[in-house]
Amino acid sequence: MPSDGAATPRRRTVVLAAAATAALAPMTALGSQAAHAAGSPPAFLHGVASGDPLPDGVLLWTRVTPTPEAVPGSGAGPAVQVDWEVAGDKAFSRVVARGTVTASAATDHTVKVDVRGLQPHTPYWYRFTAGATTSPVGRTLTTPAHEASTAGVRFGVVSCANWESGYFSAYRHLAARSDLDAVLHLGDYIYEYQSGGYPEAKYVVRPHEPKHEILSLADYRTRHGRYKTDADLQALHHAHPVIAIWDDHEFANDAWAAGAENHTPGAEGEWAARAAAAKQAYFEWMPVRASIAGTVYRRLRFGTLADLHLLDLRSFRSQQAKVGSGSVDDPERTMTGRAQLDWLKSGLADSDATWKLVGTSVMISPVAFGSLPAHLLAPLAKLLGLPEGGIAVNVDQWDGYTDDRKELLGHLKDRNIENTVFLTGDIHMAWANEVPVNMATYPGSGTAATEFVVTSVTSDNLDDILHVPADTASLVAESAVKAANWHVKWLDMDAHGYGVLDMTAERSQMDYYAVSDKRRQDATAAWIRSYRTLNGTQKVERADQPVR
């Protein structure tokens, strides 16, 4: 593996493997798909979840199955009253809030409760009851008061979880950690493909439901429901609040405002109807508050230490440019839309937090591709969504919308906005980047921000596409990319796993973890590398060890 120092073994530090399995055994049992027999009472087959924590509240979620036929996407089943409780202890001896809501087929029997009146930076436990049935107990955590000084904030960071590509053991290992304030999911929580569409049928680990490509509201609901039967995914949601944004596969591959690469108008209906169905199912099934614009861009604050700006880079973007057309620089084309870009710029300028975090589903750092052997061009192009005839630029990333990027980075530079860290998913690789003001004159022109990109939970990366062992073909590709991009301090094209972002007043550090084998439910996890940004530097440097 190429590095900026001596090479280290990929599986150097195995963490929490046995502990995770033992600690989560009860949660795993709760995630099993036990049959809901005729005449049975209501059941909570999809777990519970919390999200979007605030100093005084949090969003709670569950899905109740009132009768056997009321499966996700069916539109069947009666309305049912659901009671909810929030307590200051796991035994529920100190209940601090409670209420009743109705679950009905109109929302696919999902329930969302926006609880307020809680105390800042405090753990809480919650549960739901329908009839005589009580849900699993979830744990959540409110954020520090907006003006509170806090010593540290720590996030789990994940993206790109393709059901058919493997098991979600990365979620299990994050669920086992007791030191996280929240988990940040940067998109591709679900995938829209038909079974065997990605990856090929012979490499499918477990089949999608439904088997066909999802198009309708019922389809998207069914796919979300399938995901939330996964024991490790349930464990993640039971253990931590999740802060999520969407990327393209919550809709269709390479989605933009009026279409997608993986959508055929006419044969697959109108894009507007498909996108509306995908959004409705997403907000039904995810513990996410919609913004005023009815999308996922929003802002959360963690005391005076961090502001987290979350972006929607699918709902407003122009269609991806054709490589070589020159239109990537067209100022009339946009990634963010005018309103969202202005909102982001003002939020960054007005922030008094030490760290300005930006959750972006696609990479903002520019990437030029050096000379690669012919046998690596096609698979790397497939991975990055590029033309197989030659790699020039990834038009689905910010590289395809350079005017928006230039305006944003110029804003950071001109306003002297320090400590902006972009947190990114999407491309199934791990990166640690400095974001240059001008790539052509870097490092002389300086850097506007830094960027940490996490690899996929399961979605295919380079060794998966080539069907070769890790750290073989990728070594050549990684070396070529780093040689052509001095601002890229590290990348890993083979790992699957997650990141842990730890922030203090002095530094923001990303620890990268890899799972041993995404095709095994009992996969272990190991620390592979850490990078950090010191306060006021806009630089990336290697850290010798993880924060834990």
Side-chain angles (χ1 to χ4, degrees), residues 202-229:
K202 62 182 177 180
Y203 299 114
V204 167
V205 176
R206 50 182 180 165
H208 277 315
E209 184 65 36
K211 299 293 190 297
H212 57 267
E213 182 179 334
I214 54 176
L215 301 171
S216 68
L217 177 57
D219 291 342
Y220 282 96
R221 285 170 164 174
T222 302
R223 187 65 58 85
H224 273 282
R226 178 69 155 177
Y227 267 66
K228 280 196 168 67
T229 62

PDB file of all heavy atoms in Angstrom, residues 202-229:
ATOM      1  N   LYS A 202     -23.535 -13.826 -10.180  1.00  0.00           N
ATOM      2  CA  LYS A 202     -22.689 -14.879  -9.606  1.00  0.00           C
ATOM      3  C   LYS A 202     -21.899 -14.405  -8.385  1.00  0.00           C
ATOM      4  O   LYS A 202     -21.349 -15.227  -7.648  1.00  0.00           O
ATOM      5  CB  LYS A 202     -21.736 -15.440 -10.661  1.00  0.00           C
ATOM      6  CG  LYS A 202     -20.742 -14.444 -11.235  1.00  0.00           C
ATOM      7  CD  LYS A 202     -19.881 -15.116 -12.310  1.00  0.00           C
ATOM      8  CE  LYS A 202     -18.927 -14.135 -12.973  1.00  0.00           C
ATOM      9  NZ  LYS A 202     -18.098 -14.809 -14.002  1.00  0.00           N
ATOM     10  N   TYR A 203     -21.861 -13.080  -8.158  1.00  0.00           N
ATOM     11  CA  TYR A 203     -21.147 -12.555  -6.995  1.00  0.00           C
ATOM     12  C   TYR A 203     -22.094 -12.049  -5.907  1.00  0.00           C
ATOM     13  O   TYR A 203     -21.640 -11.496  -4.898  1.00  0.00           O
ATOM     14  CB  TYR A 203     -20.214 -11.420  -7.424  1.00  0.00           C
ATOM     15  CG  TYR A 203     -19.162 -11.856  -8.416  1.00  0.00           C
ATOM     16  CD1 TYR A 203     -19.163 -11.366  -9.723  1.00  0.00           C
ATOM     17  CD2 TYR A 203     -18.180 -12.772  -8.054  1.00  0.00           C
ATOM     18  CE1 TYR A 203     -18.207 -11.777 -10.643  1.00  0.00           C
ATOM     19  CE2 TYR A 203     -17.218 -13.188  -8.966  1.00  0.00           C
ATOM     20  CZ  TYR A 203     -17.244 -12.688 -10.255  1.00  0.00           C
ATOM     21  OH  TYR A 203     -16.293 -13.095 -11.165  1.00  0.00           O
ATOM     22  N   VAL A 204     -23.390 -12.242  -6.086  1.00  0.00           N
ATOM     23  CA  VAL A 204     -24.361 -11.777  -5.098  1.00  0.00           C
ATOM     24  C   VAL A 204     -24.227 -12.597  -3.818  1.00  0.00           C
ATOM     25  O   VAL A 204     -24.232 -13.835  -3.850  1.00  0.00           O
ATOM     26  CB  VAL A 204     -25.795 -11.874  -5.654  1.00  0.00           C
ATOM     27  CG1 VAL A 204     -26.822 -11.703  -4.543  1.00  0.00           C
ATOM     28  CG2 VAL A 204     -26.006 -10.824  -6.743  1.00  0.00           C
ATOM     29  N   VAL A 205     -24.110 -11.917  -2.687  1.00  0.00           N
ATOM     30  CA  VAL A 205     -23.991 -12.578  -1.390  1.00  0.00           C
ATOM     31  C   VAL A 205     -25.368 -12.905  -0.830  1.00  0.00           C
ATOM     32  O   VAL A 205     -25.585 -13.969  -0.261  1.00  0.00           O
ATOM     33  CB  VAL A 205     -23.198 -11.699  -0.403  1.00  0.00           C
ATOM     34  CG1 VAL A 205     -23.155 -12.329   0.989  1.00  0.00           C
ATOM     35  CG2 VAL A 205     -21.779 -11.462  -0.926  1.00  0.00           C
ATOM     36  N   ARG A 206     -26.320 -11.994  -1.011  1.00  0.00           N
ATOM     37  CA  ARG A 206     -27.700 -12.200  -0.543  1.00  0.00           C
ATOM     38  C   ARG A 206     -28.614 -11.357  -1.425  1.00  0.00           C
ATOM     39  O   ARG A 206     -28.272 -10.224  -1.778  1.00  0.00           O
ATOM     40  CB  ARG A 206     -27.833 -11.818   0.936  1.00  0.00           C
ATOM     41  CG  ARG A 206     -27.254 -10.451   1.261  1.00  0.00           C
ATOM     42  CD  ARG A 206     -27.359 -10.133   2.730  1.00  0.00           C
ATOM     43  NE  ARG A 206     -26.804  -8.809   3.016  1.00  0.00           N
ATOM     44  CZ  ARG A 206     -27.003  -8.150   4.144  1.00  0.00           C
ATOM     45  NH1 ARG A 206     -27.751  -8.691   5.111  1.00  0.00           N
ATOM     46  NH2 ARG A 206     -26.476  -6.964   4.357  1.00  0.00           N
ATOM     47  N   PRO A 207     -29.777 -11.871  -1.804  1.00  0.00           N
ATOM     48  CA  PRO A 207     -30.598 -11.206  -2.822  1.00  0.00           C
ATOM     49  C   PRO A 207     -31.419 -10.045  -2.271  1.00  0.00           C
ATOM     50  O   PRO A 207     -31.849 -10.046  -1.119  1.00  0.00           O
ATOM     51  CB  PRO A 207     -31.512 -12.326  -3.313  1.00  0.00           C
ATOM     52  CG  PRO A 207     -31.633 -13.245  -2.143  1.00  0.00           C
ATOM     53  CD  PRO A 207     -30.299 -13.201  -1.460  1.00  0.00           C
ATOM     54  N   HIS A 208     -31.623  -9.065  -3.144  1.00  0.00           N
ATOM     55  CA  HIS A 208     -32.496  -7.936  -2.854  1.00  0.00           C
ATOM     56  C   HIS A 208     -33.949  -8.390  -2.727  1.00  0.00           C
ATOM     57  O   HIS A 208     -34.347  -9.449  -3.224  1.00  0.00           O
ATOM     58  CB  HIS A 208     -32.463  -6.938  -4.020  1.00  0.00           C
ATOM     59  CG  HIS A 208     -31.325  -5.976  -3.991  1.00  0.00           C
ATOM     60  ND1 HIS A 208     -30.920  -5.300  -2.860  1.00  0.00           N
ATOM     61  CD2 HIS A 208     -30.540  -5.512  -4.999  1.00  0.00           C
ATOM     62  CE1 HIS A 208     -29.914  -4.491  -3.176  1.00  0.00           C
ATOM     63  NE2 HIS A 208     -29.665  -4.606  -4.453  1.00  0.00           N
ATOM     64  N   GLU A 209     -34.756  -7.531  -2.148  1.00  0.00           N
ATOM     65  CA  GLU A 209     -36.206  -7.630  -2.197  1.00  0.00           C
ATOM     66  C   GLU A 209     -36.733  -6.214  -2.405  1.00  0.00           C
ATOM     67  O   GLU A 209     -36.369  -5.318  -1.638  1.00  0.00           O
ATOM     68  CB  GLU A 209     -36.752  -8.234  -0.894  1.00  0.00           C
ATOM     69  CG  GLU A 209     -38.246  -8.471  -0.891  1.00  0.00           C
ATOM     70  CD  GLU A 209     -38.677  -9.524  -1.906  1.00  0.00           C
ATOM     71  OE1 GLU A 209     -37.940 -10.506  -2.109  1.00  0.00           O
ATOM     72  OE2 GLU A 209     -39.758  -9.339  -2.488  1.00  0.00           O
ATOM     73  N   PRO A 210     -37.528  -5.943  -3.435  1.00  0.00           N
ATOM     74  CA  PRO A 210     -37.948  -6.867  -4.491  1.00  0.00           C
ATOM     75  C   PRO A 210     -36.785  -7.214  -5.417  1.00  0.00           C
ATOM     76  O   PRO A 210     -35.747  -6.542  -5.401  1.00  0.00           O
ATOM     77  CB  PRO A 210     -39.028  -6.080  -5.227  1.00  0.00           C
ATOM     78  CG  PRO A 210     -38.654  -4.646  -5.023  1.00  0.00           C
ATOM     79  CD  PRO A 210     -38.068  -4.572  -3.640  1.00  0.00           C
ATOM     80  N   LYS A 211     -36.990  -8.213  -6.233  1.00  0.00           N
ATOM     81  CA  LYS A 211     -35.921  -8.675  -7.115  1.00  0.00           C
ATOM     82  C   LYS A 211     -35.681  -7.718  -8.276  1.00  0.00           C
ATOM     83  O   LYS A 211     -34.593  -7.638  -8.828  1.00  0.00           O
ATOM     84  CB  LYS A 211     -36.261 -10.071  -7.677  1.00  0.00           C
ATOM     85  CG  LYS A 211     -36.425 -11.149  -6.611  1.00  0.00           C
ATOM     86  CD  LYS A 211     -35.121 -11.444  -5.907  1.00  0.00           C
ATOM     87  CE  LYS A 211     -35.216 -12.684  -5.030  1.00  0.00           C
ATOM     88  NZ  LYS A 211     -36.193 -12.541  -3.929  1.00  0.00           N
ATOM     89  N   HIS A 212     -36.731  -7.001  -8.690  1.00  0.00           N
ATOM     90  CA  HIS A 212     -36.608  -6.102  -9.834  1.00  0.00           C
ATOM     91  C   HIS A 212     -36.064  -4.733  -9.396  1.00  0.00           C
ATOM     92  O   HIS A 212     -36.024  -4.423  -8.197  1.00  0.00           O
ATOM     93  CB  HIS A 212     -37.960  -5.932 -10.535  1.00  0.00           C
ATOM     94  CG  HIS A 212     -39.044  -5.432  -9.629  1.00  0.00           C
ATOM     95  ND1 HIS A 212     -39.902  -6.274  -8.955  1.00  0.00           N
ATOM     96  CD2 HIS A 212     -39.413  -4.169  -9.260  1.00  0.00           C
ATOM     97  CE1 HIS A 212     -40.751  -5.563  -8.240  1.00  0.00           C
ATOM     98  NE2 HIS A 212     -40.467  -4.283  -8.401  1.00  0.00           N
ATOM     99  N   GLU A 213     -35.645  -3.945 -10.360  1.00  0.00           N
ATOM    100  CA  GLU A 213     -35.215  -2.579 -10.067  1.00  0.00           C
ATOM    101  C   GLU A 213     -36.387  -1.811  -9.466  1.00  0.00           C
ATOM    102  O   GLU A 213     -37.514  -1.908  -9.941  1.00  0.00           O
ATOM    103  CB  GLU A 213     -34.735  -1.897 -11.344  1.00  0.00           C
ATOM    104  CG  GLU A 213     -34.212  -0.488 -11.127  1.00  0.00           C
ATOM    105  CD  GLU A 213     -33.717   0.156 -12.406  1.00  0.00           C
ATOM    106  OE1 GLU A 213     -33.315  -0.600 -13.321  1.00  0.00           O
ATOM    107  OE2 GLU A 213     -33.743   1.399 -12.499  1.00  0.00           O
ATOM    108  N   ILE A 214     -36.114  -1.038  -8.431  1.00  0.00           N
ATOM    109  CA  ILE A 214     -37.207  -0.353  -7.746  1.00  0.00           C
ATOM    110  C   ILE A 214     -37.573   0.945  -8.480  1.00  0.00           C
ATOM    111  O   ILE A 214     -36.716   1.763  -8.815  1.00  0.00           O
ATOM    112  CB  ILE A 214     -36.872  -0.090  -6.268  1.00  0.00           C
ATOM    113  CG1 ILE A 214     -35.537   0.650  -6.105  1.00  0.00           C
ATOM    114  CG2 ILE A 214     -36.826  -1.408  -5.509  1.00  0.00           C
ATOM    115  CD1 ILE A 214     -35.217   1.008  -4.655  1.00  0.00           C
ATOM    116  N   LEU A 215     -38.884   1.116  -8.713  1.00  0.00           N
ATOM    117  CA  LEU A 215     -39.386   2.252  -9.480  1.00  0.00           C
ATOM    118  C   LEU A 215     -40.527   2.981  -8.775  1.00  0.00           C
ATOM    119  O   LEU A 215     -40.610   4.201  -8.836  1.00  0.00           O
ATOM    120  CB  LEU A 215     -39.873   1.789 -10.861  1.00  0.00           C
ATOM    121  CG  LEU A 215     -38.857   1.102 -11.765  1.00  0.00           C
ATOM    122  CD1 LEU A 215     -39.563   0.521 -12.989  1.00  0.00           C
ATOM    123  CD2 LEU A 215     -37.771   2.077 -12.202  1.00  0.00           C
ATOM    124  N   SER A 216     -41.419   2.220  -8.149  1.00  0.00           N
ATOM    125  CA  SER A 216     -42.632   2.785  -7.566  1.00  0.00           C
ATOM    126  C   SER A 216     -42.462   3.040  -6.073  1.00  0.00           C
ATOM    127  O   SER A 216     -41.477   2.600  -5.454  1.00  0.00           O
ATOM    128  CB  SER A 216     -43.798   1.819  -7.774  1.00  0.00           C
ATOM    129  OG  SER A 216     -43.601   0.640  -7.002  1.00  0.00           O
ATOM    130  N   LEU A 217     -43.433   3.722  -5.486  1.00  0.00           N
ATOM    131  CA  LEU A 217     -43.406   3.946  -4.046  1.00  0.00           C
ATOM    132  C   LEU A 217     -43.400   2.622  -3.294  1.00  0.00           C
ATOM    133  O   LEU A 217     -42.639   2.453  -2.326  1.00  0.00           O
ATOM    134  CB  LEU A 217     -44.625   4.785  -3.629  1.00  0.00           C
ATOM    135  CG  LEU A 217     -44.795   5.045  -2.129  1.00  0.00           C
ATOM    136  CD1 LEU A 217     -43.564   5.735  -1.539  1.00  0.00           C
ATOM    137  CD2 LEU A 217     -46.055   5.869  -1.879  1.00  0.00           C
ATOM    138  N   ALA A 218     -44.204   1.673  -3.737  1.00  0.00           N
ATOM    139  CA  ALA A 218     -44.218   0.352  -3.088  1.00  0.00           C
ATOM    140  C   ALA A 218     -42.853  -0.315  -3.180  1.00  0.00           C
ATOM    141  O   ALA A 218     -42.388  -0.938  -2.214  1.00  0.00           O
ATOM    142  CB  ALA A 218     -45.282  -0.535  -3.724  1.00  0.00           C
ATOM    143  N   ASP A 219     -42.182  -0.174  -4.325  1.00  0.00           N
ATOM    144  CA  ASP A 219     -40.853  -0.763  -4.505  1.00  0.00           C
ATOM    145  C   ASP A 219     -39.844  -0.170  -3.519  1.00  0.00           C
ATOM    146  O   ASP A 219     -39.085  -0.896  -2.861  1.00  0.00           O
ATOM    147  CB  ASP A 219     -40.344  -0.521  -5.925  1.00  0.00           C
ATOM    148  CG  ASP A 219     -41.093  -1.296  -6.981  1.00  0.00           C
ATOM    149  OD1 ASP A 219     -41.782  -2.270  -6.639  1.00  0.00           O
ATOM    150  OD2 ASP A 219     -40.992  -0.907  -8.161  1.00  0.00           O
ATOM    151  N   TYR A 220     -39.805   1.161  -3.446  1.00  0.00           N
ATOM    152  CA  TYR A 220     -38.837   1.808  -2.564  1.00  0.00           C
ATOM    153  C   TYR A 220     -39.122   1.468  -1.099  1.00  0.00           C
ATOM    154  O   TYR A 220     -38.198   1.254  -0.304  1.00  0.00           O
ATOM    155  CB  TYR A 220     -38.839   3.326  -2.781  1.00  0.00           C
ATOM    156  CG  TYR A 220     -38.079   3.755  -4.014  1.00  0.00           C
ATOM    157  CD1 TYR A 220     -38.733   3.990  -5.224  1.00  0.00           C
ATOM    158  CD2 TYR A 220     -36.699   3.917  -3.978  1.00  0.00           C
ATOM    159  CE1 TYR A 220     -38.039   4.383  -6.361  1.00  0.00           C
ATOM    160  CE2 TYR A 220     -35.983   4.316  -5.107  1.00  0.00           C
ATOM    161  CZ  TYR A 220     -36.660   4.547  -6.305  1.00  0.00           C
ATOM    162  OH  TYR A 220     -35.960   4.920  -7.425  1.00  0.00           O
ATOM    163  N   ARG A 221     -40.396   1.406  -0.745  1.00  0.00           N
ATOM    164  CA  ARG A 221     -40.739   1.019   0.617  1.00  0.00           C
ATOM    165  C   ARG A 221     -40.276  -0.410   0.912  1.00  0.00           C
ATOM    166  O   ARG A 221     -39.725  -0.693   1.988  1.00  0.00           O
ATOM    167  CB  ARG A 221     -42.250   1.128   0.814  1.00  0.00           C
ATOM    168  CG  ARG A 221     -42.769   2.548   0.958  1.00  0.00           C
ATOM    169  CD  ARG A 221     -44.298   2.578   0.900  1.00  0.00           C
ATOM    170  NE  ARG A 221     -44.845   3.831   1.401  1.00  0.00           N
ATOM    171  CZ  ARG A 221     -46.139   4.150   1.356  1.00  0.00           C
ATOM    172  NH1 ARG A 221     -47.022   3.299   0.823  1.00  0.00           N
ATOM    173  NH2 ARG A 221     -46.560   5.298   1.850  1.00  0.00           N
ATOM    174  N   THR A 222     -40.494  -1.300  -0.037  1.00  0.00           N
ATOM    175  CA  THR A 222     -40.095  -2.693   0.166  1.00  0.00           C
ATOM    176  C   THR A 222     -38.582  -2.817   0.331  1.00  0.00           C
ATOM    177  O   THR A 222     -38.097  -3.558   1.191  1.00  0.00           O
ATOM    178  CB  THR A 222     -40.563  -3.559  -1.012  1.00  0.00           C
ATOM    179  OG1 THR A 222     -41.985  -3.447  -1.135  1.00  0.00           O
ATOM    180  CG2 THR A 222     -40.188  -5.013  -0.822  1.00  0.00           C
ATOM    181  N   ARG A 223     -37.822  -2.074  -0.480  1.00  0.00           N
ATOM    182  CA  ARG A 223     -36.363  -2.144  -0.398  1.00  0.00           C
ATOM    183  C   ARG A 223     -35.871  -1.585   0.938  1.00  0.00           C
ATOM    184  O   ARG A 223     -34.989  -2.170   1.584  1.00  0.00           O
ATOM    185  CB  ARG A 223     -35.739  -1.398  -1.577  1.00  0.00           C
ATOM    186  CG  ARG A 223     -34.217  -1.511  -1.718  1.00  0.00           C
ATOM    187  CD  ARG A 223     -33.738  -2.924  -2.017  1.00  0.00           C
ATOM    188  NE  ARG A 223     -34.280  -3.534  -3.207  1.00  0.00           N
ATOM    189  CZ  ARG A 223     -33.822  -3.396  -4.453  1.00  0.00           C
ATOM    190  NH1 ARG A 223     -32.779  -2.617  -4.684  1.00  0.00           N
ATOM    191  NH2 ARG A 223     -34.379  -4.047  -5.467  1.00  0.00           N
ATOM    192  N   HIS A 224     -36.424  -0.443   1.369  1.00  0.00           N
ATOM    193  CA  HIS A 224     -36.058   0.088   2.682  1.00  0.00           C
ATOM    194  C   HIS A 224     -36.386  -0.917   3.784  1.00  0.00           C
ATOM    195  O   HIS A 224     -35.607  -1.121   4.723  1.00  0.00           O
ATOM    196  CB  HIS A 224     -36.799   1.401   2.950  1.00  0.00           C
ATOM    197  CG  HIS A 224     -36.105   2.613   2.430  1.00  0.00           C
ATOM    198  ND1 HIS A 224     -35.038   3.191   3.066  1.00  0.00           N
ATOM    199  CD2 HIS A 224     -36.343   3.373   1.319  1.00  0.00           C
ATOM    200  CE1 HIS A 224     -34.635   4.266   2.391  1.00  0.00           C
ATOM    201  NE2 HIS A 224     -35.408   4.395   1.328  1.00  0.00           N
ATOM    202  N   GLY A 225     -37.552  -1.550   3.663  1.00  0.00           N
ATOM    203  CA  GLY A 225     -37.944  -2.536   4.661  1.00  0.00           C
ATOM    204  C   GLY A 225     -36.995  -3.716   4.703  1.00  0.00           C
ATOM    205  O   GLY A 225     -36.659  -4.225   5.784  1.00  0.00           O
ATOM    206  N   ARG A 226     -36.540  -4.159   3.538  1.00  0.00           N
ATOM    207  CA  ARG A 226     -35.580  -5.257   3.475  1.00  0.00           C
ATOM    208  C   ARG A 226     -34.292  -4.897   4.216  1.00  0.00           C
ATOM    209  O   ARG A 226     -33.767  -5.682   5.008  1.00  0.00           O
ATOM    210  CB  ARG A 226     -35.267  -5.576   2.011  1.00  0.00           C
ATOM    211  CG  ARG A 226     -34.240  -6.670   1.792  1.00  0.00           C
ATOM    212  CD  ARG A 226     -34.768  -8.024   2.205  1.00  0.00           C
ATOM    213  NE  ARG A 226     -34.086  -9.099   1.502  1.00  0.00           N
ATOM    214  CZ  ARG A 226     -34.318 -10.386   1.722  1.00  0.00           C
ATOM    215  NH1 ARG A 226     -35.220 -10.752   2.603  1.00  0.00           N
ATOM    216  NH2 ARG A 226     -33.663 -11.305   1.042  1.00  0.00           N
ATOM    217  N   TYR A 227     -33.788  -3.700   3.958  1.00  0.00           N
ATOM    218  CA  TYR A 227     -32.557  -3.272   4.624  1.00  0.00           C
ATOM    219  C   TYR A 227     -32.715  -3.285   6.145  1.00  0.00           C
ATOM    220  O   TYR A 227     -31.810  -3.695   6.871  1.00  0.00           O
ATOM    221  CB  TYR A 227     -32.174  -1.860   4.159  1.00  0.00           C
ATOM    222  CG  TYR A 227     -31.227  -1.832   2.983  1.00  0.00           C
ATOM    223  CD1 TYR A 227     -31.610  -2.301   1.728  1.00  0.00           C
ATOM    224  CD2 TYR A 227     -29.935  -1.339   3.118  1.00  0.00           C
ATOM    225  CE1 TYR A 227     -30.750  -2.270   0.647  1.00  0.00           C
ATOM    226  CE2 TYR A 227     -29.054  -1.301   2.047  1.00  0.00           C
ATOM    227  CZ  TYR A 227     -29.470  -1.769   0.808  1.00  0.00           C
ATOM    228  OH  TYR A 227     -28.606  -1.746  -0.258  1.00  0.00           O
ATOM    229  N   LYS A 228     -33.842  -2.826   6.622  1.00  0.00           N
ATOM    230  CA  LYS A 228     -34.000  -2.690   8.067  1.00  0.00           C
ATOM    231  C   LYS A 228     -34.368  -4.004   8.758  1.00  0.00           C
ATOM    232  O   LYS A 228     -34.684  -4.002   9.947  1.00  0.00           O
ATOM    233  CB  LYS A 228     -34.979  -1.578   8.392  1.00  0.00           C
ATOM    234  CG  LYS A 228     -34.320  -0.196   8.307  1.00  0.00           C
ATOM    235  CD  LYS A 228     -35.145   0.865   8.985  1.00  0.00           C
ATOM    236  CE  LYS A 228     -34.365   2.161   9.156  1.00  0.00           C
ATOM    237  NZ  LYS A 228     -34.042   2.840   7.898  1.00  0.00           N
ATOM    238  N   THR A 229     -34.308  -5.121   8.036  1.00  0.00           N
ATOM    239  CA  THR A 229     -34.338  -6.418   8.711  1.00  0.00           C
ATOM    240  C   THR A 229     -32.930  -6.901   9.047  1.00  0.00           C
ATOM    241  O   THR A 229     -32.778  -7.894   9.761  1.00  0.00           O
ATOM    242  CB  THR A 229     -35.020  -7.498   7.841  1.00  0.00           C
ATOM    243  OG1 THR A 229     -34.280  -7.675   6.627  1.00  0.00           O
ATOM    244  CG2 THR A 229     -36.457  -7.130   7.524  1.00  0.00           C
TER     245      THR A 229
END
